[in-house]
Amino acid sequence: AGGTNCAGAPTIMVSPGWALPTSFGGVRLDSPALLPVYQEAAEAGLFIFVHPALAIPPGLSGYYEAYDLYRCVGREHELITATYRLIAGGVFDRFPGLRVVMSHLGGGLAAIIERIRGYQDKSRGGLPPGSPHARVAARPGGSSPVRSLPQA
């Protein structure tokens, strides 16, 4: 009779951590209510895995209900928004040891990163002052500072 031989099988390393949805009960990932969670995760060396909320967030059902829009594009939009909220909301500035894994490649954030950078002007509510994730550059044709995500 046959048995199972695991010799040579790939090893899967798993780190302990927590899973969070992109939002729950109207709470977003940059909410001050989650700061103790982030602090504990950073201090304990845990990672946080973020996945899109499975239910349409409160107040958006009319926007996403047609054509199965929430499952098709809404969840990716939630991930992009949640990723940006963590950055712009200063969560990584406050907890530099925090490890966060965004599912689905951050919802495709890389596809619109230049657009985000273009809108990060301080007068429009860009990154918090003093953020190490910001860089200062001169606007073309002027000297007004523009705050932006670090270059890859």
Side-chain angles (χ1 to χ4, degrees):
T4 303
N5 183 349
C6 294
T11 301
I12 299 173
M13 302 298 290
V14 178
S15 296
W18 297 323
L20 287 177
T22 50
S23 63
F24 48 96
V27 175
R28 303 287 183 186
L29 295 186
D30 60 338
S31 170
L34 292 174
L35 295 179
V37 172
Y38 299 140
Q39 181 173 353
E40 186 174 339
E43 289 173 358
L46 302 173
F47 76 93
I48 295 176
F49 174 75
V50 178
H51 192 271
L54 298 179
I56 298 174
L60 294 177
S61 61
Y63 183 74
Y64 284 124
E65 67 187 11
Y67 316 112
D68 203 12
L69 282 172
Y70 188 67
R71 286 194 317 159
C72 294
V73 296
R75 290 179 181 174
E76 303 315 302
H77 177 257
E78 281 285 300
L79 277 166
I80 291 170
T81 303
T83 303
Y84 187 68
R85 283 180 173 274
L86 288 169
I87 296 166
V91 173
F92 296 119
D93 297 334
R94 189 165 183 166
F95 306 105
L98 183 63
R99 296 181 300 160
V100 176
V101 176
M102 302 302 288
S103 63
H104 306 253
L105 299 172
L109 181 70
I112 63 167
I113 195 69
E114 290 304 321
R115 179 179 179 85
I116 291 171
R117 285 185 178 128
Y119 280 102
Q120 286 185 314
D121 188 314
K122 288 190 301 187
S123 66
R124 291 183 167 184
L127 294 172
S131 170
H133 302 288
R135 69 174 172 80
V136 178
R139 281 187 183 168
S143 60
S144 299
V146 177
R147 303 176 65 90
S148 183
L149 293 172
Q151 298 293 321

